[in-house]
Amino acid sequence: MLPGSVCSQRPESHFVFLAKRMRNVGLFCAHLLGLCLILSDPQTEGCGDSGLPPKPDLSAFRENQSLGVSWPRNHDASERDVYEIQISRTKKRTIVYDTNVSIPAVDSTRYTWTWRSDLPLECVDHSVRMRSICDQTAPSPWSNWITNYGTKATDAPKIFPMERMLKEGSSEMFCCVSPEGVNITSITFRNIPYPLLNIGDGVKAILVSNLEIPASFIKILLLTCTDSTGKIRYAGNFISFPPQKPRNLSCATSDMTKITCSWDPGRKRDRNKRNKQTQKLYIENTDHAPIDCEPTSCTFPAVPLQQEYTIRVEVKHLLGEERATYSFNISDRVSPVLEKVRGIPGVTDVSLSWTVLGNLTRNKLLCQVSTAAETIRELTFSSENGLFNVRLEGLHPNTNYSAKVRCSVNGRFWGKWTQSEPFTTYPLVTVDLWRRIQYRLDSDVRHVTLLWKTHVVGRATTVEIKGYTVKWSQGGQTVTEQKDSRQNQADISIGPKKCNFTVQAVLNTGSSVPAHITIPLEDDPAMPPLKKRLSGTLAGGFRLWWDEQASVTRGYTVEWCTVGSTESCTLQWIKVPEGNNTLLLPAGKLFCSFYVFLFLQTWMFINFSVLLFTGHFKPGFRYSFYIYGCTEQGDKLLEIQTGYTQELSSVQYPSIIEPVVSTHASVMLEWHYDEDDPAQPAFITGYLVTVQEAASNKLVFNVSVGDPRQKSVTIKGLQEDQEYVCSVSALTRVGPGLSASITIRTKHNYFSLLAKILTPILLLLSCAVLMWPQRKMLKNGLREIFVYPAGMNIKPPEFENFLYETDRKLQSQKVEECISCDVEVLNIKPLWHESSTLRDPECADPMCSPGSLPSSSVPIQTGYWPQSAVLLFERATNQEMVAISNKSYLSPIAEPQQVEFSQIRSGFETSDSLQGSCAAVYGYISDS
């Protein structure tokens, strides 16, 4: 077959052949061009081996899960060379990490690069390969894979990591490797199941974030792994925290030959042998070897003739390392070391001694001594042999103390405090002595009662008192008596001269401080004490104050009784140091003696302006305070102050003196009352007198008597012959007390009655005397008024009977609508003797006769209801009657009323003798 025929039959084969030829030619040209460029570029020197892959070496560090890759350095390598490194896992070579590494130019012939894996290296295979990129543009071929093989499980699953030290707060992956053909079903961390992560090659893992240190005693993190066959594998890991950086690093020397540096290690570590921590100290700028240190300090010898030091402390363990540096001058860091601190106590002091180590005797030391938490005393010492002594005063007796000391060379840098040296001061027993003096009127002998109280200052030890020794001297004679420990008083009779007493307590270890008191000569009656009244405080106590006396040189004594009475009372007293004139006595049960105050004022340098004492006072009781001043001659009574903590108003009622002197308008009340009685619950300031009416309890008199010694009062302005209730009550500052009452009646006022009788009599007599010259004219005038006209015979009884009967009849016929009936008599005149006809006395005209009166002269209106009236005039001989009647009275009420007028006429029937008298009566009766 011809070639052309072949081409014609398979033309595509010819084109394929040509394409392959062209591709080979192009590839050749590209390589040739690259070679020319490399050879022409001057910076490409050193890349002669770039066409060869690197030859890395692989190192595995399973404790910290890291891989170390190292390879030789090309002799022509530059700083611009880059190496690409890839890390894969499992047999499938799954790339898990890819990075470019730049290597600086160093003198070393090998490069090293480290990579830390988040998965333990035992879990699966880890492979590494790399290539170089010359001038960051031309990569070399990849090197062969170098593999770090994981652990294979045979019959049971395996857990990684196991028994490894983990870091607190980190995130860790835990894997479980199963045998071939077996699957992992679950992984638990501290009994908590976690979701499984498929790593490959039959390996499963879990991720735990923020690891925490267990609170249990054993700091182990427990894991379990279960496979599909039911097999369980357990594993435990330890956990801790990274090393702490040393804090407060400082150095000091005690003898200029050795230097001790100390620091604060920070967080306390649990002791674990698997994570042993090391501390090393480095002295910089010297060739001194590193020094192994304790966890908190390090001691090393001083470098001769070197003053300035710079040190570095490094702390390291499995989880990392920390370091701190410090610079100092050794001359400024001298810290004297003391030892053998001893104390010899007294009652109120202690002697301390100690020794200073090292060659520091050529310097003066400034030392601080402390005997209590709040007391530090700073003193300067110098010694040739290193032994120092000091005496501390102002301590409390019978009290536990502990002393400690520290010293300094320059006053800026102090040494450490020594260990506390305990000691106890000796007991202080004092006797508080007082006296009571009773005088006899028939002789010069005075009866003295000595009273004392024993006080033990402090409570560190128990003090036993065996008894008391009492001594007194008078007139050159001295007498001594022994008293039992249960006794606290002694009765002694002395003369009028000055007498000195001493009382001392007998103890197991000796005697107490003796107490002295002087009984002066008999008091001068010409110098009476000053008396005052007190007011209680709001807290229920007393605040005493007195004037200071120049003659008082040894203080004051305040004496009182606790029951408010001078008889059968329990005597109490308190000593007040000199220079104080104020005493506050609250209501409680605390006691402080004079010696305690004197001790505090003498050794503690305290100036007391107000002293405290508690007397357990009660309201409503009177207390008398006797203030004595201690002079060279003895105690003199200066003032007597009396008062109540709280006054009560329930004082007794007065006793009213009977009989009560009274008059018709006044009463004088008198009463008995003991206003100075000490049993009274308050001071009496006066009296309240009230007077009330017995019938109505109306207060008519109220007066206050301001003088408690005035016990009478006169009450004026009362009414005669009236009963009154008089009350008297004692007044206090808080109000009136109980009242005493008495009922009295005022007398009749006979003088007023006699004046009422005699006054009109005297007036009549005076008028009679004045009218006597006019007696005749007065007699005629009275006769015309009181004597009847001649010829009239009036019988008053019969006339009165007639009026009574007429009124009774009219009342029986009374109409309901009639409101009132008035009879009005217009005029009554004596009748004419000559006429037998009734006339108007005011009419002189004969036309004014009764027969000629008009019909309207006596109007009667139907709106009124007249009533008939009959007037009878009787005479002795002849009798005439005049009848006035209203005829319309009998008209029916129901009929309509009309206005009509009727005439009232008067008829007279005269006897033969016309001598008589009559009167005409005109009028009407109205219902309005």
Side-chain angles (χ1 to χ4, degrees):
M1 184 176 296
L2 293 174
S5 62
V6 172
C7 293
S8 61
Q9 292 178 358
R10 299 182 62 182
E12 65 277 3
S13 299
H14 179 71
F15 288 112
V16 171
F17 175 76
L18 292 178
K20 290 182 179 181
R21 284 292 185 92
M22 293 299 294
R23 183 174 60 182
N24 292 335
V25 173
L27 182 61
F28 174 77
C29 293
H31 284 289
L32 183 61
L33 179 62
L35 180 61
C36 294
L37 291 175
I38 293 174
L39 294 176
S40 63
D41 190 356
Q43 297 182 359
T44 58
E45 295 181 358
C47 291
D49 297 336
S50 61
L52 300 177
K55 297 179 180 180
D57 294 330
L58 183 63
S59 302
F61 305 96
R62 295 189 175 185
E63 286 296 328
N64 57 3
Q65 301 180 182
S66 61
L67 293 175
V69 181
S70 63
W71 62 94
R73 177 178 180 271
N74 293 331
H75 63 279
D76 293 331
S78 67
E79 295 181 358
R80 299 183 61 185
D81 293 347
V82 176
Y83 294 88
E84 183 179 0
I85 301 175
Q86 288 183 347
I87 299 176
S88 65
R89 283 176 182 161
T90 70
K91 296 178 181 180
K92 296 181 179 181
R93 302 279 196 259
T94 303
I95 304 299
V96 295
Y97 190 78
D98 188 348
T99 185
N100 293 330
V101 179
S102 297
I103 302 300
V106 294
D107 295 337
S108 177
T109 60
R110 294 187 68 85
Y111 297 126
T112 301
W113 175 78
T114 303
W115 172 76
R116 188 182 187 281
S117 174
D118 56 350
L119 186 70
L121 301 181
E122 299 91 340
C123 296
V124 293
D125 298 343
H126 287 79
S127 300
V128 178
R129 70 174 182 176
M130 63 182 299
R131 65 178 178 177
S132 63
I133 303 175
C134 186
D135 200 16
Q136 301 182 5
T137 57
S140 70
W142 287 101
S143 67
N144 296 326
W145 288 101
I146 305 176
T147 302
N148 177 67
Y149 296 97
T151 303
K152 304 298 181 181
T154 57
D155 55 347
K158 293 184 179 181
I159 300 175
F160 300 100
M162 180 176 60
E163 297 182 359
R164 189 173 296 172
M165 184 62 62
L166 304 180
K167 184 188 296 185
E168 180 190 20
S170 65
S171 297
E172 295 291 338
M173 292 186 69
F174 301 91
C175 71
C176 185
V177 181
S178 64
E180 187 175 355
V182 179
N183 294 327
I184 303 300
T185 58
S186 68
I187 301 177
T188 63
F189 177 80
R190 300 181 66 179
N191 298 325
I192 299 175
Y194 278 75
L196 299 179
L197 302 176
N198 188 11
I199 303 300
D201 295 343
V203 178
K204 301 291 178 67
I206 63 172
L207 176 63
V208 181
S209 302
N210 192 18
L211 295 179
E212 295 181 356
I213 299 178
S216 59
F217 177 76
I218 301 176
K219 314 297 183 183
I220 295 180
L221 304 178
L222 183 63
L223 293 103
T224 61
C225 177
T226 306
D227 62 11
S228 58
T229 63
K231 293 182 180 180
I232 301 176
R233 176 58 63 94
Y234 298 91
N237 291 278
F238 303 98
I239 185 170
S240 183
F241 52 87
Q244 304 289 295
K245 183 177 181 179
R247 296 179 298 180
N248 302 326
L249 178 60
S250 64
C251 299
T253 180
S254 60
D255 54 4
M256 302 293 290
T257 60
K258 292 183 179 181
I259 300 174
T260 299
C261 297
S262 60
W263 59 86
D264 182 4
R267 186 175 175 182
K268 185 178 179 181
R269 299 177 61 253
D270 293 326
R271 294 184 179 180
N272 194 317
K273 294 182 180 180
R274 292 182 175 272
N275 189 23
K276 185 177 180 181
Q277 179 173 286
T278 60
Q279 299 82 213
K280 290 183 178 295
L281 185 143
Y282 298 87
I283 305 176
E284 298 184 355
N285 301 327
T286 64
D287 55 355
H288 202 288
I291 304 167
D292 294 332
C293 304
E294 298 295 327
T296 59
S297 64
C298 195
T299 301
F300 59 93
V303 179
L305 303 178
Q306 183 170 341
Q307 295 291 321
E308 299 292 336
Y309 287 82
T310 300
I311 63 169
R312 182 178 78 255
V313 177
E314 290 185 356
V315 180
K316 182 186 300 185
H317 61 65
L318 295 178
L319 299 179
E321 66 177 61
E322 287 288 348
R323 65 184 60 186
T325 59
Y326 179 68
S327 299
F328 62 94
N329 188 308
I330 190 173
S331 300
D332 297 334
R333 308 297 297 178
V334 179
S335 173
V337 176
L338 314 180
E339 65 176 12
K340 297 181 181 180
V341 178
R342 297 179 181 180
I344 302 176
V347 177
T348 59
D349 58 356
V350 64
S351 296
L352 296 176
S353 62
W354 63 89
T355 302
V356 178
L357 300 181
N359 188 19
L360 299 177
T361 57
R362 56 187 177 85
N363 298 324
K364 286 187 177 181
L365 298 183
L366 183 65
C367 297
Q368 291 181 342
V369 183
S370 173
T371 55
E374 68 281 358
T375 303
I376 297 178
R377 304 184 186 185
E378 194 169 291
L379 305 170
T380 303
F381 300 91
S382 62
S383 175
E384 295 181 357
N385 56 4
L387 181 63
F388 296 86
N389 296 276
V390 66
R391 181 181 180 86
L392 302 180
E393 298 180 345
L395 305 181
H396 297 287
N398 197 17
T399 304
N400 293 326
Y401 288 95
S402 60
K404 58 183 180 179
V405 186
R406 69 174 183 177
C407 295
S408 173
V409 174
N410 53 18
R412 297 187 303 272
F413 184 74
W414 291 89
K416 294 183 179 180
W417 287 103
T418 62
Q419 293 184 353
S420 297
E421 177 69 17
F423 65 92
T424 302
T425 53
Y426 293 149
L428 174 64
V429 180
T430 61
V431 178
D432 188 4
L433 182 62
W434 188 236
R435 86 291 185 276
R436 175 182 284 178
I437 304 174
Q438 294 181 354
Y439 298 91
R440 296 182 180 179
L441 300 178
D442 55 348
S443 65
D444 294 336
V445 177
R446 293 178 291 175
H447 182 73
V448 178
T449 300
L450 292 179
L451 306 169
W452 62 82
K453 299 175 184 178
T454 305
H455 303 287
V456 179
V457 182
R459 298 181 179 180
T461 59
T462 302
V463 179
E464 181 182 358
I465 300 176
K466 292 185 175 181
Y468 299 93
T469 301
V470 181
K471 295 181 181 180
W472 70 93
S473 61
Q474 187 178 34
Q477 296 181 355
T478 302
V479 182
T480 302
E481 287 187 4
Q482 299 294 330
K483 296 293 181 181
D484 189 75
S485 61
R486 294 171 295 179
Q487 294 180 322
N488 59 358
Q489 69 178 37
D491 295 329
I492 302 170
S493 297
I494 62 174
K497 296 183 179 180
K498 179 180 178 181
C499 185
N500 296 319
F501 288 92
T502 301
V503 177
Q504 194 171 13
V506 181
L507 311 176
N508 291 330
T509 58
S511 300
S512 67
V513 178
H516 301 278
I517 193 171
T518 300
I519 307 298
L521 299 173
E522 293 188 7
D523 293 338
D524 186 3
M527 298 294 293
L530 181 63
K531 296 183 178 181
K532 295 180 181 180
R533 282 191 175 183
L534 294 174
S535 296
T537 62
L538 296 178
F542 291 98
R543 184 181 181 88
L544 305 180
W545 179 87
W546 59 89
D547 296 330
E548 293 191 37
Q549 302 291 334
S551 60
V552 176
T553 58
R554 301 179 183 178
Y556 302 88
T557 302
V558 180
E559 170 192 294
W560 75 94
C561 291
T562 60
V563 296
S565 176
T566 57
E567 298 180 359
S568 301
C569 69
T570 301
L571 186 66
Q572 298 286 343
W573 71 93
I574 181 175
K575 301 294 182 65
V576 180
E578 181 185 358
N580 297 277
N581 62 338
T582 302
L583 181 63
L584 179 61
L585 301 176
K589 292 185 178 180
L590 180 65
F591 182 84
C592 297
S593 69
F594 164 75
Y595 297 100
V596 175
F597 287 120
L598 185 61
F599 157 73
L600 292 174
Q601 190 175 25
T602 303
W603 280 284
M604 299 301 292
F605 307 101
I606 299 176
N607 184 17
F608 289 90
S609 61
V610 178
L611 302 180
L612 298 179
F613 180 87
T614 303
H616 193 55
F617 302 108
K618 299 178 181 179
F621 285 84
R622 181 182 298 183
Y623 296 90
S624 295
F625 299 91
Y626 298 84
I627 301 174
Y628 295 85
C630 186
T631 64
E632 296 293 338
Q633 302 299 323
D635 293 284
K636 297 285 186 177
L637 181 60
L638 304 178
E639 294 184 12
I640 300 176
Q641 300 184 12
T642 305
Y644 298 84
T645 58
Q646 181 181 355
E647 296 188 39
L648 305 179
S649 61
S650 57
V651 295
Q652 296 296 324
Y653 53 83
S655 176
I656 300 178
I657 300 176
E658 297 185 37
V660 178
V661 179
S662 64
T663 64
H664 67 279
S666 64
V667 173
M668 186 178 72
L669 289 178
E670 294 181 315
W671 57 89
H672 292 299
Y673 200 75
D674 187 4
E675 67 277 3
D676 297 325
D677 185 5
Q680 294 283 9
F683 288 119
I684 306 302
T685 59
Y687 304 94
L688 177 63
V689 181
T690 60
V691 179
Q692 292 178 325
E693 292 182 358
S696 62
N697 292 331
K698 180 181 178 181
L699 183 65
V700 298
F701 189 82
N702 186 0
V703 66
S704 297
V705 180
D707 186 4
R709 303 190 181 279
Q710 179 184 344
K711 301 171 185 177
S712 65
V713 66
T714 300
I715 305 167
K716 299 180 181 180
L718 304 180
Q719 298 180 3
E720 62 174 323
D721 195 23
Q722 293 288 334
E723 280 193 351
Y724 293 95
V725 178
C726 301
S727 301
V728 181
S729 59
L731 285 177
T732 65
R733 294 179 181 176
V734 293
L738 302 177
S739 61
S741 302
I742 187 174
T743 303
I744 54 97
R745 177 180 288 274
T746 55
K747 297 180 179 180
H748 289 280
N749 191 356
Y750 294 104
F751 296 99
S752 178
L753 182 60
L754 183 60
K756 291 179 182 179
I757 297 174
L758 294 179
T759 298
I761 295 176
L762 294 176
L763 289 176
L764 290 175
L765 291 176
S766 300
C767 291
V769 172
L770 293 175
M771 298 301 293
W772 183 255
Q774 307 294 333
R775 61 183 177 280
K776 291 183 179 181
M777 183 178 63
L778 183 60
K779 180 178 180 181
N780 294 334
L782 293 175
R783 182 178 298 172
E784 292 179 1
I785 296 172
F786 295 102
V787 177
Y788 292 107
M792 292 185 66
N793 184 14
I794 298 176
K795 296 181 179 181
E798 294 180 2
F799 182 71
E800 291 179 359
N801 290 335
F802 171 74
L803 291 177
Y804 173 73
E805 293 295 334
T806 303
D807 180 66
R808 186 173 59 81
K809 292 178 180 180
L810 290 175
Q811 290 294 334
S812 63
Q813 298 180 8
K814 183 177 180 182
V815 182
E816 295 298 332
E817 287 77 359
C818 183
I819 298 176
S820 62
C821 298
D822 298 331
V823 176
E824 207 174 303
V825 179
L826 301 179
N827 201 352
I828 300 176
K829 292 288 186 174
L831 299 176
W832 293 346
H833 297 289
E834 296 81 10
S835 175
S836 60
T837 305
L838 183 62
R839 296 180 180 273
D840 188 352
E842 296 180 1
C843 184
D845 193 348
M847 295 300 292
C848 295
S849 62
S852 63
L853 288 173
S855 60
S856 61
S857 61
V858 184
I860 297 179
Q861 188 176 356
T862 58
Y864 299 89
W865 299 100
Q867 299 179 6
S868 62
V870 180
L871 300 178
L872 300 180
F873 298 87
E874 295 185 1
R875 297 187 60 174
T877 55
N878 298 322
Q879 178 174 340
E880 294 182 0
M881 300 179 62
V882 178
I884 303 173
S885 61
N886 183 9
K887 300 302 183 179
S888 64
Y889 178 81
L890 301 178
S891 61
I893 299 175
E895 295 178 1
Q897 303 296 323
Q898 298 181 0
V899 180
E900 59 177 281
F901 299 92
S902 62
Q903 183 176 1
I904 301 176
R905 297 184 182 275
S906 300
F908 299 92
E909 293 181 0
T910 61
S911 62
D912 295 337
S913 177
L914 297 176
Q915 297 180 0
S917 166
C918 66
V921 180
Y922 299 90
Y924 61 89
I925 300 175
S926 175
D927 61 352
S928 59

